[in-house]
């Protein structure tokens, strides 16, 4: 957490502020809270405090974060493998963790090209240092807000060829968009820019159980960016015009699982543009 103290009439800045001068470490941020839930170290006391408060209401949340990340890996492996996709646009990527999109895709197809999009300055700092690529492919980062889809697509076009299929990923980020129409417009603009054979990969929290609704309430009381749960039916509307890949929009643990795990209130799916 950012702190200062006065020593001999001078101000001494904490290590956090020295390491991340462009990062406000006094306000909890989604990417850092999620990083903490996934067991990462790129978070601050203020982020951990919010996460611990949520975990007190929903102890399973850390496991749910991991299971959602597992869905991400399975979806990317399917697309880079059986679906033959070689380009990935990961919008709202968050902080780098294990099994990032480029690592999963390039482990299957080394020539895959990946563009990450985020506007958190801490994410940018780590992306520059950690997001490397296999020599056969490419990895780049766009510093942009996902609401500015024109900027996202223009900058992503420096690395991706939009005449060839692209997998567009919105992993757990559209809950930060309260208005369904705005979320649909964002997804629609991204999918309009890519050709037939492209895919949408999406997951987000749902409002099925009271425990998750209460966890979202705690989050929204503390975090800088509110998170709005949707019903599975509302999430399904984000796939309008696309062909859902089997097994459709389901709890992320039910999407082509490696092992049987109970359902959770995170729903995800993969849709193909015909």
């Amino acid at each position: 957490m950012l702190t200062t103290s006065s020593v001999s009439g001078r101000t001494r800045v904490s290590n956090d502020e020295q390491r991340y001068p462009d990062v406000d470490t006094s306000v909890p941020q989604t990417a850092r809270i999620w990083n903490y839930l996934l067991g990462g170290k790129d978070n601050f006391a203020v982020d951990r405090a919010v996460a611990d408060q949520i975990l007190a209401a929903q102890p399973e949340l850390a496991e749910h974060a991991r299971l959602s990340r597992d869905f991400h890996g399975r979806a990317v492996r399917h697309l880079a493998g059986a679906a033959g996709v070689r380009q990935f646009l990961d919008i709202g990527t968050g902080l780098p963790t294990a099994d990032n999109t480029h690592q999963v895709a390039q482990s299957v197809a080394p020539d895959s090209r990946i563009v990450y999009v985020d506007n958190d300055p801490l994410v940018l700092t780590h992306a520059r240092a950690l997001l490397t690529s296999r020599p056969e492919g490419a990895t780049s980062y766009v510093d942009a807000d996902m609401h500015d889809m024109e900027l996202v697509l223009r900058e992503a076009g420096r690395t991706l060829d939009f005449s060839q299929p692209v997998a567009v990923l919105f992993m757990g980020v559209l809950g930060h968009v309260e208005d369904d129409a705005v979320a649909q417009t964002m997804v629609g603009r991204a999918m309009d820019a890519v050709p037939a054979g492209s895919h949408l990969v999406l997951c987000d929290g749902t409002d099925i159980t009271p425990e998750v609704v209460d966890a979202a309430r705690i989050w929204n009381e503390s975090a800088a960016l509110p998170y709005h749960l949707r019903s599975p039916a509302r999430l399904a509307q984000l796939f309008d015009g696309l062909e859902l890949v089997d097994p459709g929009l389901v709890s992320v643990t039910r999407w082509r699982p490696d092992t049987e795990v109970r359902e959770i209130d995170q729903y995800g799916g993969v849709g193909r543009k015909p």
Side-chain angles (χ1 to χ4, degrees):
M1 183 173 179
L2 186 151
T3 58
T4 62
S5 61
S6 179
V7 180
S8 302
R10 293 177 296 176
T11 299
R12 185 175 65 195
V13 184
S14 73
N15 287 339
D16 284 342
E17 189 176 9
Q18 290 172 340
R19 290 173 61 202
Y20 306 112
D22 298 325
V23 177
D24 185 352
T25 60
S26 66
V27 178
Q29 295 289 344
T30 301
R32 303 194 311 248
I33 294 172
W34 202 249
N35 175 264
Y36 175 65
L37 293 172
L38 288 169
K41 301 182 183 301
D42 299 310
N43 48 75
F44 304 112
V46 68
D47 309 305
R48 296 188 287 273
V50 173
D52 288 340
Q53 187 180 5
I54 297 171
L55 287 169
Q58 190 191 4
E60 306 88 358
L61 186 61
E63 180 190 12
H64 291 186
R66 178 185 60 79
L67 293 171
S68 294
R69 191 68 180 175
D70 290 345
F71 160 71
H72 163 269
R74 294 195 304 274
V76 172
R77 279 193 295 273
H78 163 74
L79 292 171
V85 176
R86 295 294 179 267
Q87 302 188 106
F88 296 80
L89 178 57
D90 190 341
I91 300 175
T93 180
L95 284 158
T97 61
D99 298 327
N100 299 290
T101 300
H102 73 288
Q103 293 168 321
V104 177
Q106 292 183 347
S107 71
V108 177
D111 59 336
S112 295
R113 305 176 72 84
I114 295 89
V115 173
Y116 293 98
V117 179
D118 211 299
N119 65 340
D120 186 307
L122 186 59
V123 174
L124 176 60
T125 297
H126 283 269
R128 286 170 173 160
L130 299 178
L131 299 181
T132 58
S133 173
R134 294 281 291 267
E136 303 95 325
T139 302
S140 65
Y141 181 92
V142 173
D143 181 13
D145 189 314
M146 64 181 180
H147 288 83
D148 190 350
M149 197 56 64
E150 298 304 320
L151 174 61
V152 168
L153 295 170
R154 183 172 69 249
E155 293 301 311
R158 300 177 185 273
T159 300
L160 305 179
D161 177 1
F162 285 126
S163 70
Q164 299 297 317
V166 178
V168 180
L169 284 69
F170 289 93
M171 305 302 294
V173 296
L174 290 175
H176 295 302
V177 182
E178 182 175 10
D179 191 308
D180 286 4
V182 173
Q184 284 186 282
T185 297
M186 291 167 59
V187 172
R189 178 66 188 90
M191 298 310 296
D192 285 346
V194 296
S198 295
H199 291 72
L200 170 68
V201 186
L202 182 153
C203 76
D204 257 308
T206 61
D207 57 2
I208 296 174
T209 62
E211 293 81 8
V212 172
V213 172
D214 192 45
R217 177 189 60 77
I218 296 170
W219 179 293
N220 291 340
E221 288 175 351
S222 306
L225 190 60
Y227 190 88
H228 308 280
L229 301 172
R230 288 185 168 90
S231 67
R234 289 169 64 195
L235 286 177
Q237 293 175 355
L238 298 172
F239 288 93
D240 282 355
L242 304 177
E243 300 169 347
L244 276 169
V245 174
D246 186 67
L249 178 67
V250 294
S251 172
V252 292
T253 60
R254 299 301 190 200
W255 202 92
R256 306 192 178 198
D258 301 318
T259 58
E260 284 298 317
V261 182
R262 66 180 178 84
E263 291 191 3
I264 64 173
D265 285 6
Q266 289 270 336
Y267 269 54
V270 177
R272 182 182 183 277
K273 183 174 181 178

